[in-house]
């Protein structure tokens, strides 16, 4: 749908702000998304942006409604995994599992299919089915040595599920594999690995400050004693 130039520019400015703020200030991003939605609710990109802004602020019912609207407008299935995750957020993991078995999943690209696998595994865990979650994550993508943008998250989810199942040695192995793939530090796998290895991090700066404070107190005491003498 085309918009008048001035209106299109206003909508674009708000969408830019949504993209800029959604990670650091999701509530503000949501506010900009609502403005864009009021200006151009019949534009699929606006509905999608509004959906992600609502999702980032855990307004899952609203996010799901926007994603469904965007899907109807475009006919694309790329939002299917995040729609399923909204069902999880609404406390309906069984619906997320049902979506994982729908024909739409076969139309997703590789990244989308991996994302759907992550959502399905999360739904299994929501239902207390930890062993099933582990099996759900086991795939050719997990076994591959190739590193893709989704590799760290997939390996991390598998490691975390193994740890939840009490399989600590295997979990440690997969957290280590996550660290190898996670060059950008998008997960806290290195911290989880250190925790499993019993490594404790000391705030050296904090210790220095404590030592300095103690020294200052001693000096003050010494000065007080000298004055009394």
């Amino acid at each position: 749908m085309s918009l008048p130039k001035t209106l299109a520019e206003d909508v674009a400015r708000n969408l830019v702000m949504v993209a800029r703020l959604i990670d650091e200030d999701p509530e503000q991003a949501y506010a900009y998304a609502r403005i864009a939605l009021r200006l151009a609710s019949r534009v699929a990109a606006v509905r999608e942006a509004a959906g992600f802004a609502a999702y980032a602020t855990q307004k899952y019912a609203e996010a799901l409604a926007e994603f469904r609207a965007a899907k109807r407008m475009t006919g694309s299935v790329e939002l299917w995994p995040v729609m399923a995750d909204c069902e999880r957020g609404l406390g309906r993991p069984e619906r997320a599992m049902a979506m994982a078995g729908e024909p739409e999943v076969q139309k997703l690209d590789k990244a989308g299919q991996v994302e759907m696998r992550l959502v399905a595994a999360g739904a299994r865990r929501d239902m207390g089915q930890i062993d099933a979650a582990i099996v759900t994550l086991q795939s050719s993508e997990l076994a591959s040595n190739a590193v893709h943008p989704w590799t760290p998250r997939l390996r991390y989810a598998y490691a975390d599920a193994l740890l939840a199942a009490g399989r600590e040695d295997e979990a440690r192995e997969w957290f280590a594999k996550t660290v190898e793939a996670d060059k950008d530090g998008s997960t806290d796998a290195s911290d989880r690995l250190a925790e499993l290895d019993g490594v404790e991090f000391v705030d050296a700066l904090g210790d220095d400050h404590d030592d300095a404070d103690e020294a200052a107190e001693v000096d003050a005491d010494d000065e007080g004693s000298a004055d009394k003498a």
Side-chain angles (χ1 to χ4, degrees):
M1 178 181 178
S2 60
L3 298 173
K5 182 179 179 181
T6 302
L7 179 57
E9 290 174 350
D10 287 344
V11 171
R13 278 194 291 269
N14 281 283
L15 293 183
V16 167
M17 293 306 297
V18 172
R20 183 178 298 172
L21 294 170
I22 196 164
D23 292 326
E24 61 186 52
D25 191 348
E27 289 291 346
Q28 191 62 40
Y30 176 77
Y32 279 107
R34 296 302 301 175
I35 295 172
L37 193 59
R38 286 197 297 270
L39 294 173
S41 62
R42 296 185 180 181
V43 176
V46 171
R47 303 303 290 265
E48 182 175 332
F52 277 111
Y55 179 81
T57 53
Q58 300 184 6
K59 298 176 177 66
Y60 297 117
E62 185 176 331
L64 184 57
E66 297 300 340
F67 289 142
R68 284 173 174 167
K71 181 178 179 294
R72 285 195 301 270
M73 292 175 179
T74 64
S76 172
V77 298
E78 65 179 358
L79 295 172
W80 198 251
V82 71
M83 290 168 64
D85 207 39
C86 285
E87 295 287 6
R88 286 186 61 210
L90 290 167
R92 302 190 296 237
E94 68 286 349
R95 293 194 185 183
M97 283 304 306
M99 291 179 69
E102 293 293 331
E104 283 83 353
V105 176
Q106 303 306 315
K107 300 176 184 177
L108 294 168
D109 60 13
K110 181 60 68 176
Q113 290 181 3
V114 170
E115 190 65 33
M116 192 70 240
R117 189 177 293 276
L118 287 166
V119 173
R124 289 291 190 190
R125 292 189 65 169
D126 293 343
M127 294 186 286
Q129 301 172 3
I130 186 63
D131 290 334
I134 291 171
V135 172
T136 298
L137 292 167
Q138 293 171 343
S139 60
S140 58
E141 292 84 11
L142 180 68
S144 174
N145 290 323
V147 175
H148 301 279
W150 37 261
T151 300
R153 291 181 61 237
L154 181 60
R155 292 181 180 181
Y156 184 94
Y158 189 60
D160 191 54
L162 288 168
L163 188 60
R167 295 160 61 174
E168 187 171 308
D169 289 343
E170 292 173 87
R172 189 199 176 284
E173 175 188 353
W174 281 96
F175 277 127
K177 290 183 177 181
T178 303
V179 171
E180 292 174 2
D182 191 7
K183 303 302 182 185
D184 298 328
S186 60
T187 72
D188 65 347
S190 58
D191 293 339
R192 300 291 299 277
L193 185 60
E195 184 180 333
L196 286 172
D197 286 340
V199 176
E200 294 185 6
F201 294 100
V202 177
D203 186 349
L205 184 60
D207 289 345
D208 289 344
H209 284 175
D210 291 342
D211 291 342
D213 291 341
E214 289 176 6
E217 290 176 5
V218 170
D219 289 342
D221 290 342
D222 290 343
E223 290 178 3
S225 298
D227 291 340
K228 291 177 181 179

